[in-house]
Amino acid sequence: MNFDVQRELIPRNTTLHLLDTLDAMKTKLMAAAEQSQLLDETGHVPSAPSYADLLQHAVGAQALSRDVLQLTADFARSTYSTNRAGSAVLAHLATAAAMSTHAAPYFAETAESALALPRTSSEAAQEHLGNRMVIDHATARAYLRRASESLRNASNELDAHLDFHRFFPASARQQNPAAPPTRPNTRRH
């Protein structure tokens, strides 16, 4: 194999670590999207939605976004972000970072509407505010799901890249001390 092609490899241990990190973040984003509920068991906006609970959705989304942004920044600074696989992973991470940053403001808008709801006197204004809350909250959750999907796509790129490692003989991998010996790919898709 050509040594230039081998330089394109992200070391196996780095790839495995990044896959674990992506899987954990992907799961947290999806869980946040699923657990952040606005509607009651009947499918309607509660008559008195909790401002504190809804604001906590924004806090959680902001923390997740910070983690995704940090991961993206760290990867962008790595030497691997410019190779073929790294560029594809970085593109997915950039999308995840952008999507995750949009969720918190929509959750905050939902909380602000919940705070205004009891002070709204007209029934039409209350209905409008309730509809706005539903749309803003659903939009925030959709951004979390889209960020999670982008992280899944980054994982898929890395899984394919990990499979590429098996084409290099053990002696070639030993030239790259950062790459441990290959193990069978046990990752689930």
Side-chain angles (χ1 to χ4, degrees), residues 8 10 18 72 75-76 78-95 153-154 157-158 161:
E8 289 285 310
I10 300 171
L18 188 54
T72 304
F75 190 79
S78 76
T79 58
Y80 314 117
S81 67
T82 58
N83 69 24
R84 185 175 175 175
S87 293
V89 169
L90 186 57
H92 293 300
L93 290 176
T95 300
N153 293 339
E157 291 285 346
L158 285 171
H161 182 73

Side-chain angles (χ1 to χ4, degrees), residues 3-4 22 42 51 85 99 120 131 134 167 171 189:
F3 186 70
D4 289 340
L22 289 172
T42 65
Y51 173 75
M99 294 296 109
T120 307
N131 289 340
V134 170
F167 293 112
S171 62
H189 298 278

Side-chain angles (χ1 to χ4, degrees), residues 32-33 35-40 46 48-62 103-104 106-115 133 137 140-141 144:
Q35 293 168 357
S36 301
Q37 296 294 320
L38 169 65
L39 304 179
D40 62 19
S50 169
Y51 173 75
D53 290 347
L54 293 173
L55 195 58
Q56 191 59 46
H57 294 174
V59 170
Q62 186 74 30
Y106 278 98
F107 280 134
E109 288 287 331
T110 304
E112 182 182 19
S113 296
L115 196 58
M133 287 174 59
H137 200 271
R141 292 176 68 203
L144 291 177

Side-chain angles (χ1 to χ4, degrees), residues 16 19-20 23 26 152 155-156 159 162-163 184-189:
L16 291 171
L19 279 166
D20 289 342
D23 286 344
K26 174 178 63 173
R152 182 199 64 220
S155 290
N156 290 344
D159 273 336
L162 197 57
D163 287 343
N185 185 2
T186 57
R187 296 203 48 83
R188 291 182 293 188
H189 298 278

Side-chain angles (χ1 to χ4, degrees), residues 29 61-62 64-66 68-69 94-106 143-144 147:
L29 285 163
Q62 186 74 30
L64 288 169
S65 176
R66 181 195 64 235
V68 173
L69 285 166
T95 300
M99 294 296 109
S100 69
T101 61
H102 292 306
Y106 278 98
Y143 276 123
L144 291 177

